[in-house]
Amino acid sequence: SAKRHGRNHDQRFRPSLDVAGDRQLALVNDLRTALAKGTQLELHYQTQHALRDGALVGMEALLRWRHPVHGMISPGDFIPLAERHGLMSSLGNWVVERAIAQLANWRLAGVAEVPVWVNISALQLIQGDLESRLAASLAQYRLPARLLGLELTESVLLDERAGDIYPRLEALRALGHQIAIDDFGTGYSSLSYLKRLPVDKLKLDRAFVRALPEDSADAAIVGAVLAMARGLSLEVIAEGVETPAQRDFLLSNGCPLVQGFLFSRPVPATELEPRLLNELQPI
Ligand code: C2E
Ligand code: MG
Ligand code: MG
Ligand code: MG
């Protein structure tokens, strides 16, 4: 009904949970249109900080879709749809190009260089020519690869369709990209793979952060991950830090980096720019 399809402020629009296939297909077509027009899609940016002094050290780019009828749809809802219907490569390419264009804008605006991290889906590695697209976009704006970090989940690293991913990660790092394992701890991989995995950073999933410091099991897991990462010379960034108590626990356990609502929510680039100009010393 028209009411059901209208903007609804009480109940979030959850397309991936909707069983009606025709409604999903309509949404897939809307997404195709959004990609072609480029006007409904946006990247929002969430800051990342050094825990010791609060310094802004990076930003994660997070995809947003402002649907003309349904309003803001969360990536957790439309990305699975894009993956199922063959739109993920185009969507991923859009994200990479937009993030690089934004880096160039910030440089023009006089913002000191700080890396932007983008989320890379398995399908981008499997189907896409990710490496050459990254190189072409960076070259277009004469930006160094060190300004674009890549976040991959454990499931991406273990996806057999992606082939032998290790040499590709090595090559991306040789070009200057930093690589992080996203949602670390929630996958089903063995710990031994970390020994030879060419990555720079672990992003500790917020599932382990949420109940800190009270939950003694989570506290033990986080402490162990931090100790292990130190031994392997991997950086750790804790995700989803919302309270001072969580921050204090992480600080006293030697976690170097944090990201979360306590520091900032993901916001549009224009909203972040004054803060970037303020907090970052130009070089
Ligand atoms: P993620 O990459 O793990 O991103 C972190 C998510 O946690 C974001 O949700 C962010 O808004 C949210 N978050 C950050 N700090 C806090 C906090 O303190 N508390 C809580 N409760 N949440 C926090 P978002 O933006 O809805 O994105 C969800 C997921 O969608 C991302 O998880 C990522 O897997 C995926 N995603 C987002 N943008 C892209 C993209 O451009 N490409 C791909 N392939 N996936 C994306
Ligand atoms: Mg991420
Ligand atoms: Mg994550
Ligand atoms: Mg996540």
Side-chain angles (χ1 to χ4, degrees), residues 60-62 118-119 151 182-183 203 239 259:
E60 179 175 5
L62 294 157
V118 291
N119 294 283
E151 297 192 3
D182 205 353
D183 306 342
K203 297 197 78 178
E239 295 192 275
Q259 182 179 342

Side-chain angles (χ1 to χ4, degrees), residues 51-280:
L51 198 40
R52 197 157 292 285
D53 59 1
L56 201 164
V57 294
M59 291 172 267
E60 179 175 5
L62 294 157
L63 187 55
R64 298 289 179 260
W65 181 15
R66 216 180 275 277
H67 189 281
V69 176
H70 303 301
M72 200 69 107
I73 305 179
S74 118
D77 289 329
F78 69 85
I79 282 174
L81 214 60
E83 286 177 336
R84 276 204 300 282
H85 292 89
L87 293 179
M88 197 55 229
S89 289
S90 325
L91 202 56
N93 290 337
W94 185 89
V95 168
V96 162
E97 277 157 30
R98 190 69 218 112
I100 291 171
Q102 186 57 56
L103 274 165
N105 285 343
W106 276 328
R107 186 179 53 185
L108 275 176
V111 171
E113 291 187 343
V114 62
V116 167
W117 293 78
V118 291
N119 294 283
I120 301 291
S121 77
L123 290 171
Q124 273 174 281
L125 279 164
I126 296 160
Q127 306 168 339
D129 40 355
L130 178 70
E131 290 87 342
S132 55
R133 281 185 172 271
L134 290 175
S137 290
L138 288 166
Q140 189 190 336
Y141 295 101
R142 297 175 199 284
L143 287 165
R146 70 181 142 77
L147 289 181
L148 196 74
L150 309 174
E151 297 192 3
L152 295 85
T153 60
E154 283 174 78
S155 58
V156 172
L157 300 173
L158 295 169
D159 196 315
E160 280 165 9
R161 295 170 300 167
D164 191 358
I165 196 128
Y166 286 54
R168 294 180 69 185
L169 297 184
E170 300 268 24
L172 286 165
R173 286 178 88 206
L175 288 170
H177 293 287
Q178 289 191 80
I179 295 172
I181 303 183
D182 205 353
D183 306 342
F184 180 74
T186 61
Y188 296 96
S189 51
S190 71
L191 284 178
S192 61
Y193 88 125
L194 275 180
K195 205 166 83 174
R196 56 181 200 108
L197 197 64
V199 300
D200 303 281
K201 201 176 274 193
L202 306 179
K203 297 197 78 178
L204 184 66
D205 195 79
R206 75 179 143 92
F208 303 107
V209 174
R210 194 177 293 129
L212 293 179
E214 289 84 11
D215 189 300
S216 58
D218 285 337
I221 290 169
V222 170
V225 168
L226 287 166
M228 179 189 69
R230 264 194 303 278
L232 294 168
S233 301
L234 291 168
E235 271 196 302
V236 175
I237 178 161
E239 295 192 275
V241 181
E242 295 182 350
T243 69
Q246 291 166 347
R247 177 199 59 203
D248 294 345
F249 176 91
L250 291 163
L251 184 59
S252 59
N253 281 271
C255 180
L257 304 167
V258 280
Q259 182 179 342
F261 294 169
L262 182 65
F263 301 87
S264 79
R265 290 186 171 260
V267 292
T270 46
E271 210 171 301
L272 192 57
E273 195 171 302
R275 200 174 155 190
L276 294 177
L277 286 166
N278 232 341
E279 289 185 28
L280 296 172

